Coordinates of all heavy atoms in Angstrom, one line a residue:
L13 N -92.3 21.8 20.9 CA -91.0 21.8 21.5 C -91.0 21.2 22.8 O -90.0 20.8 23.5 CB -90.4 23.2 21.4 CG -90.1 23.8 20.0 CD1 -89.7 25.1 20.2 CD2 -89.2 22.8 19.3
E14 N -92.1 21.4 23.5 CA -92.2 20.8 25.0 C -92.2 19.4 25.0 O -93.0 18.7 24.2 CB -93.5 21.3 25.6 CG -93.5 21.0 27.1 CD -94.8 21.8 27.7 OE1 -94.8 22.9 27.6 OE2 -95.6 21.0 28.2
P15 N -91.4 18.7 25.9 CA -91.3 17.3 26.1 C -92.8 16.8 26.4 O -93.4 17.4 27.2 CB -90.3 17.1 27.2 CG -89.5 18.2 27.2 CD -90.4 19.4 26.7
R16 N -93.2 15.7 25.8 CA -94.6 15.2 26.1 C -94.6 14.3 27.2 O -93.9 13.2 27.2 CB -95.0 14.4 24.8 CG -96.5 14.1 24.8 CD -97.4 15.4 24.6 NE -98.7 15.2 24.4 CZ -99.6 16.1 24.3 NH1 -99.3 17.3 24.3 NH2 -100.9 15.9 24.1
T17 N -95.2 14.8 28.2 CA -95.2 13.9 29.5 C -96.7 13.8 29.9 O -97.5 14.7 29.8 CB -94.5 14.5 30.6 OG1 -95.0 16.0 30.8 CG2 -93.0 14.6 30.3
E18 N -97.1 12.7 30.4 CA -98.4 12.3 30.8 C -98.6 13.1 32.3 O -97.7 13.0 33.1 CB -98.6 10.9 31.0 CG -100.0 10.5 31.4 CD -100.2 9.0 31.6 OE1 -99.4 8.3 31.1 OE2 -101.3 8.6 32.0
F19 N -99.7 13.7 32.4 CA -100.0 14.4 33.6 C -100.6 13.3 34.7 O -101.7 12.6 34.2 CB -100.9 15.5 33.5 CG -101.3 16.1 34.9 CD1 -100.4 16.8 35.5 CD2 -102.6 16.1 35.2 CE1 -100.7 17.4 36.7 CE2 -103.0 16.7 36.4 CZ -102.0 17.4 37.2
R20 N -100.1 13.1 35.8 CA -100.5 12.1 36.8 C -101.2 12.9 38.0 O -100.4 13.3 38.9 CB -99.5 11.1 37.2 CG -99.0 10.3 36.1 CD -98.0 9.2 36.5 NE -97.8 8.3 35.5 CZ -96.9 8.5 34.6 NH1 -96.2 9.6 34.5 NH2 -96.7 7.5 33.7
P21 N -102.5 13.2 38.0 CA -103.0 14.1 39.1 C -102.8 13.6 40.5 O -102.5 14.4 41.3 CB -104.5 14.2 38.7 CG -104.7 13.1 37.8 CD -103.5 12.8 37.1
Y22 N -102.9 12.2 40.7 CA -102.9 11.8 42.1 C -101.4 12.0 42.7 O -101.4 12.2 43.9 CB -103.2 10.3 42.1 CG -103.6 9.8 43.5 CD1 -104.9 10.2 44.0 CD2 -102.6 9.1 44.3 CE1 -105.2 9.7 45.4 CE2 -102.9 8.8 45.6 CZ -104.2 9.0 46.1 OH -104.5 8.7 47.4
T23 N -100.4 12.0 41.9 CA -99.1 12.2 42.5 C -98.5 13.7 42.2 O -97.4 14.0 42.8 CB -98.1 11.2 41.9 OG1 -98.1 11.3 40.5 CG2 -98.5 9.8 42.4
S24 N -99.2 14.5 41.4 CA -98.7 15.8 41.2 C -98.8 16.7 42.3 O -99.8 16.7 43.0 CB -99.5 16.4 40.1 OG -99.2 17.6 39.8
A25 N -97.8 17.6 42.5 CA -97.8 18.7 43.6 C -97.9 20.1 42.8 O -97.4 21.0 43.4 CB -96.6 18.6 44.4
R26 N -98.4 20.1 41.7 CA -98.5 21.4 40.8 C -99.3 22.3 41.6 O -100.3 22.0 42.2 CB -99.1 21.0 39.5 CG -98.9 22.1 38.6 CD -99.7 21.7 37.1 NE -99.3 22.9 36.3 CZ -98.5 22.9 35.4 NH1 -97.5 22.0 35.4 NH2 -98.3 24.1 34.7
V27 N -99.0 23.6 41.4 CA -99.8 24.7 41.8 C -100.5 25.3 40.8 O -100.1 25.6 39.6 CB -98.9 25.9 42.5 CG1 -99.8 27.1 42.8 CG2 -98.0 25.4 43.5
F28 N -102.0 25.3 40.8 CA -102.8 25.9 39.8 C -103.3 27.3 40.3 O -103.8 27.4 41.5 CB -104.0 25.0 39.6 CG -103.7 23.9 38.8 CD1 -103.8 22.6 39.3 CD2 -103.4 23.8 37.5 CE1 -103.4 21.4 38.6 CE2 -103.1 22.8 36.7 CZ -103.1 21.6 37.3
R29 N -103.1 28.3 39.6 CA -103.7 29.6 40.0 C -104.8 29.9 39.2 O -104.8 30.1 37.9 CB -102.5 30.7 39.8 CG -101.5 30.6 40.7 CD -100.3 31.7 40.8 NE -99.4 31.4 41.8 CZ -98.3 30.6 41.8 NH1 -98.1 29.9 40.7 NH2 -97.6 30.5 42.9
I30 N -105.9 30.2 39.9 CA -107.3 30.3 39.2 C -108.0 31.6 39.7 O -108.1 31.8 40.9 CB -108.1 29.1 39.5 CG1 -107.5 27.8 39.2 CG2 -109.4 29.3 39.0 CD1 -108.3 26.6 39.6
M31 N -108.2 32.5 38.7 CA -108.9 33.7 39.0 C -110.5 33.3 39.2 O -111.0 32.7 38.1 CB -108.7 34.8 38.2 CG -109.3 36.1 38.5 SD -111.1 36.3 38.3 CE -111.3 36.6 36.6
T32 N -111.1 33.6 40.2 CA -112.6 33.3 40.5 C -113.3 34.6 40.9 O -112.8 35.2 41.8 CB -112.8 32.1 41.3 OG1 -112.2 32.5 42.6 CG2 -112.2 30.9 40.8
S33 N -114.4 34.8 40.3 CA -115.3 35.9 40.9 C -115.8 35.3 42.2 O -115.8 34.1 42.6 CB -116.4 36.1 40.0 OG -117.2 35.0 39.8
D34 N -116.3 36.4 43.1 CA -116.8 35.9 44.3 C -118.1 34.9 44.1 O -118.3 34.0 44.9 CB -117.3 37.1 45.1 CG -117.6 36.9 46.6 OD1 -116.7 36.4 47.2 OD2 -118.6 37.1 47.0
Y35 N -118.9 35.2 43.0 CA -119.8 34.3 42.7 C -119.4 32.9 42.5 O -120.0 31.9 43.0 CB -120.6 34.8 41.5 CG -121.6 33.8 40.8 CD1 -122.9 33.5 41.4 CD2 -121.2 33.1 39.7 CE1 -123.6 32.5 40.8 CE2 -122.0 32.2 39.1 CZ -123.3 31.9 39.7 OH -124.0 31.0 39.0
A36 N -118.3 32.6 41.6 CA -117.9 31.3 41.4 C -117.3 30.7 42.6 O -117.5 29.5 42.9 CB -116.8 31.5 40.3
E37 N -116.6 31.4 43.4 CA -116.0 30.9 44.7 C -117.2 30.5 45.6 O -116.9 29.6 46.4 CB -115.1 32.1 45.3 CG -114.2 31.4 46.4 CD -113.0 32.3 46.6 OE1 -112.7 33.2 45.9 OE2 -112.2 32.1 47.5
A38 N -118.3 31.2 45.7 CA -119.4 30.8 46.6 C -120.1 29.5 46.2 O -120.7 28.7 46.9 CB -120.4 32.1 46.8
T39 N -120.2 29.3 44.8 CA -121.0 28.2 44.3 C -120.3 27.0 43.8 O -120.4 25.9 44.2 CB -121.8 28.7 43.1 OG1 -120.9 29.4 42.1 CG2 -122.9 29.9 43.6
L40 N -119.2 27.3 42.9 CA -118.5 26.2 42.2 C -117.2 25.7 43.0 O -117.1 24.5 43.1 CB -118.1 26.7 40.9 CG -117.3 25.7 40.0 CD1 -118.1 24.5 39.7 CD2 -116.7 26.3 38.6
V41 N -116.5 26.7 43.6 CA -115.3 26.2 44.2 C -115.3 25.3 45.3 O -114.4 24.4 45.3 CB -114.6 27.6 44.8 CG1 -113.3 27.2 45.6 CG2 -114.0 28.3 43.4
P42 N -116.3 25.2 46.3 CA -116.4 24.3 47.3 C -116.5 22.8 46.7 O -115.8 22.0 47.3 CB -117.7 24.6 48.1 CG -117.8 26.1 47.9 CD -117.3 26.3 46.6
R43 N -117.2 22.6 45.7 CA -117.3 21.3 45.1 C -116.0 21.0 44.2 O -115.7 19.8 44.3 CB -118.6 21.3 44.2 CG -119.9 21.3 44.9 CD -120.1 20.0 45.7 NE -120.2 18.8 44.7 CZ -121.4 18.5 44.2 NH1 -122.6 19.1 44.6 NH2 -121.4 17.4 43.4

């Protein structure tokens, strides 16, 4: 039912909410 739209990351201002453990935030998140 959702209208099909292409996601354009370079122009998007979307907010992504991501739960990360402290381990993931120390290692993966900076990159």
Side-chain angles (χ1 to χ4, degrees):
L13 297 173
E14 185 175 301
R16 195 68 174 176
T17 56
E18 183 182 352
F19 179 66
R20 294 180 173 85
Y22 197 79
T23 57
S24 174
R26 188 182 185 92
V27 177
F28 287 111
R29 290 184 172 85
I30 307 172
M31 189 284 282
T32 57
S33 62
D34 195 55
Y35 164 77
E37 194 156 350
T39 55
L40 178 64
V41 165
R43 289 289 295 270

